[in-house]
Amino acid sequence: MRKALYLFISLLLAVTSCIERPEVTMHYLLKQAEGMLRTVPDTAFYFLQSLKETSIATGDDSVFLELLLLEAGAKNEALIPDTLAIHSLTSYYSAKADTLMLARTCRLSALAYRNLGDYEGTVARYNAAIALARPVEAKHVLGDAYYELANVYYSEGLRTRTEPPRILADSLFYLTEQTAEELQDTALWINSLLSHSLIPDGRKQYPELERQLLLALRLSESVHDTGHEAVAAMSLSMMYGELGKKEKSILYVRRNLDLRRGLIPDYMHYLVWGNAYQRIGEKDSAAYYLAKGKELKEREKWVHFSTPSNHLTEEFELGNQSLEDRLNQ
C-alpha cells in the first residue's frame, strides 16, 4: 500500500508539470496508469480521475483516458451506468481499425449489459471480445473475459438449474487459469481457482477440487493475501470433513481461524469450531462449541443494546442543556 501511495504521489506531481516538461506527456502518464490497473486498481482509479480533472487530454489521449477510467471502475467493482459512453468508444476505435482496443471496449460493453441483467447481450459481447482478442494475443483481455463470462454461465446454471451453462463455466475457468499462469497474474489465478472450486460435485471430482484449493492456498500465501488464504483454508476444511478426513479438516479450520484472528468476534470462533466438529461427526464437541458460541453471541448482543453509543450519550447531554447554552454553541 505504501509503495502504491508513493507511486500515486509521484505520478500526480508529474501531472502538474506535464505542460511545462515536454518529456512527461499525457500519453506517458496514461500508460503508467494502465500498468497500475492490475496491481493497484484503486490507486489507478484515483490517479485517472485526477488526470481527467486537469482537462489537458486531447485527441487519442482523451479517448484512451475514458477507456481506462471505465476499466479502472470495473476493477473497483463500480457499475458501468449505461452503454452510451462505450458506444462512442467502439465507434472511435472501429474507425481506426484498432483490434486490441475494440476487444477492450467489447469487454466493457459486456460488463454494462451484465449490469443491466441482459444475459443474451452479455454473452454475445463477451464472445465478441474473445474473438477480437485471440488473433492479437491480448492475454489480459482474454483472461478477464474468460473469467467474467465463466461467472455469468455459472450464475445462469444456478438460476435455471440446467447443465450446459455449468459445463461452459467449467471450461472457461480452466482457460482463465491457463491464461493467468502464462501472465503470472496471481490475483486473477486465485479468483478463478476459488470460483472454479464451487462447481465440482460428487466424490469422483474431489481430487481435482483438492488440487484447485491447495493451489489457491499456496498462491494466496505467496502474495500474503490472507483473505483468500482464509477462504481456501475453510473450503479445504469443509471438503476434508465431507470425505471423513478428520485430522486434515481440523488442521485447516485452525488455519482459517488463525488467519482471521482479531477480525471476527469471539462467538464466531466457537461457532466455526462447532460446525467443523459437526461435519466430522463429533457430536459432543460440536454441541459444546455451538452452545458456547450462541451464549457469547447473546451476551454480546445484550451488551451492545444496553450500552448507550457515543451519539446517544451526546444527545442525552444536549437534552439537559438550557436553550441559551445551545444557542451559544
Side-chain angles (χ1 to χ4, degrees):
M1 180 58 74
R2 183 176 296 177
K3 183 179 178 182
L5 182 61
Y6 288 156
L7 180 59
F8 175 67
I9 292 171
S10 64
L11 288 173
L12 196 57
L13 289 172
V15 173
T16 61
S17 60
C18 186
I19 300 175
E20 298 172 5
R21 294 174 56 197
E23 70 274 14
V24 182
T25 64
M26 175 56 73
H27 189 71
Y28 167 81
L29 294 172
L30 291 173
K31 293 301 288 184
Q32 294 298 308
E34 184 181 32
M36 295 160 61
L37 277 176
R38 304 199 82 80
T39 53
V40 281
D42 51 347
T43 305
F45 184 65
Y46 289 118
F47 177 62
L48 286 163
Q49 282 185 319
S50 70
L51 287 179
K52 187 174 177 64
E53 288 166 8
T54 61
S55 300
I56 57 176
T58 57
D60 287 349
D61 289 338
S62 177
V63 181
F64 189 31
L65 173 57
E66 293 300 325
L67 176 76
L68 290 175
L69 269 169
L70 287 170
E71 289 183 334
K75 283 288 181 186
N76 287 282
E77 299 182 356
L79 295 178
I80 297 174
D82 54 53
T83 58
L84 187 61
I86 301 168
H87 283 317
S88 63
L89 291 174
T90 303
S91 299
Y92 184 84
Y93 288 118
S94 292
K96 296 179 77 69
D98 191 329
T99 306
L100 171 60
M101 302 307 270
L102 276 172
R104 291 168 72 167
T105 58
C106 275
R107 181 205 155 227
L108 288 170
S109 182
L111 287 170
Y113 275 86
R114 186 189 68 182
N115 294 338
L116 292 170
D118 184 340
Y119 173 74
E120 298 296 337
T122 301
V123 171
R125 280 155 183 80
Y126 272 126
N127 284 330
I130 291 167
L132 287 164
R134 275 177 177 158
V136 293
E137 297 186 352
K139 297 287 186 180
H140 285 300
V141 180
L142 284 171
D144 288 337
Y146 288 148
Y147 174 66
E148 291 157 6
L149 182 54
N151 280 297
V152 169
Y153 279 134
Y154 175 65
S155 299
E156 182 68 7
L158 288 179
R159 188 183 70 82
T160 60
R161 299 180 182 275
T162 53
E163 189 69 5
R166 189 202 68 79
I167 294 170
L168 289 168
D170 192 54
S171 301
L172 284 167
F173 278 130
Y174 278 120
L175 285 172
T176 305
E177 287 143 35
Q178 181 185 336
T179 307
E181 185 176 9
E182 290 174 12
L183 293 169
Q184 287 301 293
D185 188 333
T186 309
L188 179 63
W189 201 353
I190 293 168
N191 284 328
S192 183
L193 284 164
L194 291 176
S195 297
H196 199 175
S197 69
L198 298 173
I199 291 180
D201 51 354
R203 291 187 179 276
K204 65 179 181 180
Q205 293 175 313
Y206 275 123
E208 177 59 12
L209 177 58
E210 182 181 39
R211 182 195 70 80
Q212 291 167 350
L213 290 174
L214 287 173
L215 179 55
L217 187 76
R218 180 174 63 78
L219 289 169
S220 301
E221 187 179 19
S222 70
V223 294
H224 309 292
D225 183 348
T226 54
H228 282 126
E229 188 181 347
V231 171
M234 180 53 73
S235 298
L236 282 163
S237 173
M238 293 171 68
M239 184 196 73
Y240 286 128
E242 290 175 12
L243 290 173
K245 297 182 179 181
K246 297 183 179 183
E247 290 183 5
K248 284 189 173 183
S249 181
I250 294 300
L251 172 70
Y252 282 106
V253 79
R254 183 176 290 115
R255 182 164 177 176
N256 169 272
L257 289 171
D258 285 345
L259 289 163
R260 298 165 74 192
R261 192 180 303 280
L263 300 174
I264 59 174
D266 290 341
Y267 74 82
M268 186 62 72
H269 281 263
Y270 283 94
L271 294 177
V272 170
W273 275 119
N275 287 325
Y277 281 119
Q278 202 169 48
R279 277 195 300 273
I280 61 177
E282 296 192 11
K283 296 180 180 179
D284 291 342
S285 295
Y288 167 77
Y289 279 101
L290 289 172
K292 185 70 174 176
K294 290 174 183 176
E295 178 191 337
L296 288 174
K297 186 176 181 181
E298 287 300 316
R299 189 182 303 172
E300 185 174 302
K301 189 188 297 182
W302 170 252
V303 170
H304 174 74
F305 283 111
S306 61
T307 304
S309 66
N310 290 335
H311 175 66
L312 291 174
T313 304
E314 289 168 5
E315 282 190 352
F316 177 77
E317 290 173 352
L318 187 63
N320 287 334
Q321 291 176 338
S322 67
L323 177 59
E324 185 179 356
D325 290 336
R326 292 190 214 179
L327 290 171
N328 288 334
Q329 284 185 355

